[in-house]
Amino acid sequence: MEKSSFVLKGNVCYNTSPTEVRTVAGGYAVCVDGTSAGVFEELPERFSGLPVVDCVDQLVIPGMSDIHVHAPQYAFRGLGMDLELLEWLNTHTFPEESHYADLDYAGRAYDIFADDLRRSPTTRAVVFGTLHVGATELLMDKLEDTGLVTYVGKVNMDRNSPDTLVETTVGSAEATRRWLAGVDGRYERTMPILTPRFTPSCTDELMAELGKIREEFGLPVQSHLSENLSECDWVAGLCPWSSCYGDAYDHFGLLGEPGGSKAVMAHCVYSGEEEVGLLARTGTYVAHCPQSNAQLASGIAPIRRYLDLGMNVGLGTDVAGGADLSMFRCMADAVAVSKLRWRLVDQGLAPLTTQEALWLATAGGGSFFGKVGSLAEGYVFDALVLDDLGIRTPRDLGVWERVERYVYLAEEGGRLARKYVAGREVSLA
C-alpha cells in the first residue's frame, strides 16, 4: 500500500476541461511518487526504468470522488424509494441511524459499507456518519483500512429529531470537540469534517457553536441545502431572519471560505439568485445527487447553470436516497435528468454531455481534495483500470466510445480490474 513509481500502459482517457476529453490508445500513464508525471503516446526515456503494468486492451481513467454519501444508510438502500424526502427520513433514515448507538450493530453495518466502497469505482468520498461519537470513530477506523481517502463527519442534531436521535445543544458541541480530540493525528487518509445535518435539525445556537469550532480547527463543512420544497419552506419559518436558506449557514461561517476551508452542500435543487451568488462567492461545492433527487421526488438541480457560472460542482451517490454506490450510475443519471429538466422545465439550459458527467465524477468533485481527478501532469495519481471486454459488440470502438459505453453498461459486462489512490494500489479481493 506504499506510494510508488510505475507506469500503466492502456487506453487512457481523462478530461482536459469540463467539456473535452483526451484519449490515448495504447498510452502510458506515469506515476512518480504518487503523482502523475503525465500521459504519453510513447514512454519517454527518462521513465524507461520504471516498472510497467501492462493493462493490455483495458481502459485507464482517473479515480472518482463521491462527495455526498451517508454510511449508516447503506444498510437500508433500495427501501422506501416510493416516499418523498421528509416522510422517508422519518420512516427509514432516523430509525436506522438510531441503531448506531449500538457499536456491535455499527461495526457489522460499517464493515459492509467500507468493504463495498473499497470494491467500487470510488477512490475518495465525503461521508456522513451519525451523531454517535463511538460509531463515527469506528467508521473512520474501517475506512482508513480500505486505502481510500475520505472525509467523515459526526452528525449534529439538536432539534426536530426523534428522541432516540437527538442531542442537547451543549451536548452536541461537546461531543463534537471530544470526537475531534479522539481522532486528531490518528489517520493518514481519513479526515474529519463538520456535519450539521441540515438547518431543520440544528438550532441557531448549535450552528453558532459549530462556527466557532470550524474557526478554531480550520475544518471543512458538509450539509444539505435546498433539496426539497417543503424543506425550504420549513427553513424559512425556522430562520425568519435569514435572507435565503444558504444564509442560514453562511451567517454562522459554515459555507466555503475562499482561499481557506472548503464546504460542500448537497443538492441545491431550489437555490435562488441570492443563494447561487452566495455559493459562487464562497466557493462552496455543490454535490449533485441526481438519483436521490429523482427517487425522493425532490426535483432536478440546474447543474448547467452552475457550470456556466464556474461554480464548484461534483457528484454524490447520496446512499440511501440513491440506491447504490455506482458513480457510473450517478453519471448516467446526471445526463438523463438534465435532459428532462431541459425538456420540461427550462429549455434555456442545455443538457449535460457525457464528457461533462465524467468531469463531474473525476476532476469536479476531486478538487475538493486538492489537485485530484485527472491524469494530467501534477495531479495526485488516482486511477481506475476498467475491463470492458465483457460488453460485447461487433463494432470497432474508439477509446472515448468505450468509456462512454462503460458509463451505461458497467453492470452488464464491465469489471473494475485495478484501482489506485495517490499511487497506492487498492486491493479489490
Side-chain angles (χ1 to χ4, degrees):
M1 293 294 292
E2 292 305 310
K3 291 182 182 179
S4 58
S5 300
F6 57 92
V7 179
L8 295 182
K9 183 180 186 301
N11 301 302
V12 184
C13 177
Y14 63 95
N15 285 82
T16 56
S17 75
T19 58
E20 299 174 319
V21 295
R22 181 190 178 204
T23 62
V24 183
Y28 299 84
V30 180
C31 174
V32 176
D33 294 330
T35 299
S36 176
V39 174
F40 307 92
E41 295 182 5
E42 301 290 339
L43 186 64
E45 177 64 29
R46 65 185 182 278
F47 301 125
S48 61
L50 297 180
V52 176
V53 178
D54 190 350
C55 302
V56 195
D57 194 30
Q58 295 170 335
L59 301 167
V60 179
I61 68 170
M64 295 182 171
S65 293
D66 183 347
I67 63 170
H68 185 67
V69 59
H70 293 260
Q73 296 178 17
Y74 194 66
F76 72 89
R77 64 197 185 281
L79 301 177
M81 296 291 92
D82 54 347
L83 303 177
E84 290 192 44
L85 173 66
L86 298 181
E87 183 183 4
W88 177 80
L89 287 171
N90 290 318
T91 303
H92 289 280
T93 303
F94 292 155
E96 174 63 28
E97 292 191 13
S98 298
H99 294 323
Y100 289 76
D102 177 352
L103 285 182
D104 180 64
Y105 182 87
R108 288 185 284 121
Y110 285 153
D111 275 340
I112 296 169
F113 172 76
D115 192 49
D116 285 359
L117 190 68
R118 175 177 60 84
R119 298 167 187 263
S120 79
T122 297
T123 49
R124 296 171 187 252
V126 184
V127 186
F128 271 62
T130 63
L131 58 78
H132 310 99
V133 171
T136 303
E137 292 184 3
L138 188 61
L139 172 61
M140 296 176 80
D141 290 345
K142 293 181 183 300
L143 287 174
E144 178 72 10
D145 290 342
T146 65
L148 309 184
V149 175
T150 60
Y151 282 103
V152 177
K154 175 231 167 297
V155 173
N156 298 99
M157 304 167 66
D158 72 334
R159 68 173 171 186
N160 296 321
S161 305
D163 292 342
T164 55
L165 201 69
V166 68
E167 308 162 293
T168 65
T169 303
V170 172
S172 183
E174 289 180 346
T176 300
R177 289 183 178 277
R178 186 169 71 253
W179 164 62
L180 291 172
V183 301
D184 183 40
R186 186 160 148 184
Y187 307 108
E188 179 186 357
R189 297 175 291 273
T190 312
M191 300 157 286
I193 182 170
L194 281 183
T195 308
R197 184 179 207 106
F198 65 160
T199 296
S201 68
C202 296
T203 61
D204 291 355
E205 292 76 16
L206 178 54
M207 291 292 216
E209 286 302 310
L210 293 177
K212 293 176 185 175
I213 293 172
R214 199 259 181 100
E215 184 176 3
E216 180 180 345
F217 289 90
L219 294 173
V221 176
Q222 64 174 343
S223 195
H224 301 85
L225 179 62
S226 299
E227 178 178 2
N228 173 282
L229 286 172
S230 298
E231 170 206 14
C232 293
D233 290 342
W234 195 7
V235 171
L238 291 170
C239 303
W241 51 265
S242 63
S243 59
C244 63
Y245 191 166
D247 184 43
Y249 293 103
D250 189 54
H251 180 79
F252 301 107
L254 295 173
L255 290 184
E257 300 174 330
S261 298
K262 296 176 181 177
V264 55
M265 293 286 147
H267 308 300
C268 303
V269 175
Y270 297 102
S271 298
E273 289 295 331
E274 180 177 356
E275 188 163 285
V276 170
L278 183 59
L279 296 173
R281 216 165 38 248
T282 57
T284 298
Y285 282 70
V286 174
H288 179 37
C289 306
Q291 186 183 161
S292 173
N293 293 159
Q295 304 279 32
L296 301 179
S298 296
I300 305 171
I303 299 304
R304 165 65 61 214
R305 180 186 181 203
Y306 300 156
L307 291 177
D308 287 348
L309 290 171
M311 294 169 61
N312 292 320
V313 187
L315 295 179
T317 60
D318 195 23
V319 167
D324 60 46
L325 293 171
S326 173
M327 289 296 289
F328 292 112
R329 167 74 185 272
C330 198
M331 291 167 60
D333 286 344
V335 174
V337 301
S338 74
K339 290 180 178 179
L340 290 175
R341 196 179 203 286
W342 167 69
R343 177 61 68 194
L344 301 175
V345 180
D346 185 353
Q347 294 192 10
L349 293 179
L352 298 177
T353 65
T354 310
Q355 289 93 336
E356 288 172 313
L358 179 64
W359 184 85
L360 290 171
T362 57
S367 63
F368 190 80
F369 294 85
K371 198 167 184 180
V372 171
S374 174
L375 295 174
E377 183 179 4
Y379 279 78
V380 177
F381 195 90
D382 291 5
L384 305 176
V385 179
L386 309 176
D387 183 349
D388 68 335
L389 299 182
I391 308 174
R392 300 189 298 170
T393 180
R395 300 181 61 179
D396 292 325
L397 301 177
V399 174
W400 169 247
E401 290 175 307
R402 291 172 61 185
V403 172
E404 181 179 25
R405 181 182 67 157
Y406 199 98
V407 171
Y408 291 90
L409 302 179
E411 302 305 317
E412 177 181 308
R415 181 178 69 90
L416 179 60
R418 292 176 180 270
K419 178 173 176 176
Y420 297 86
V421 179
R424 300 179 173 103
E425 186 167 7
V426 174
S427 172
L428 300 176

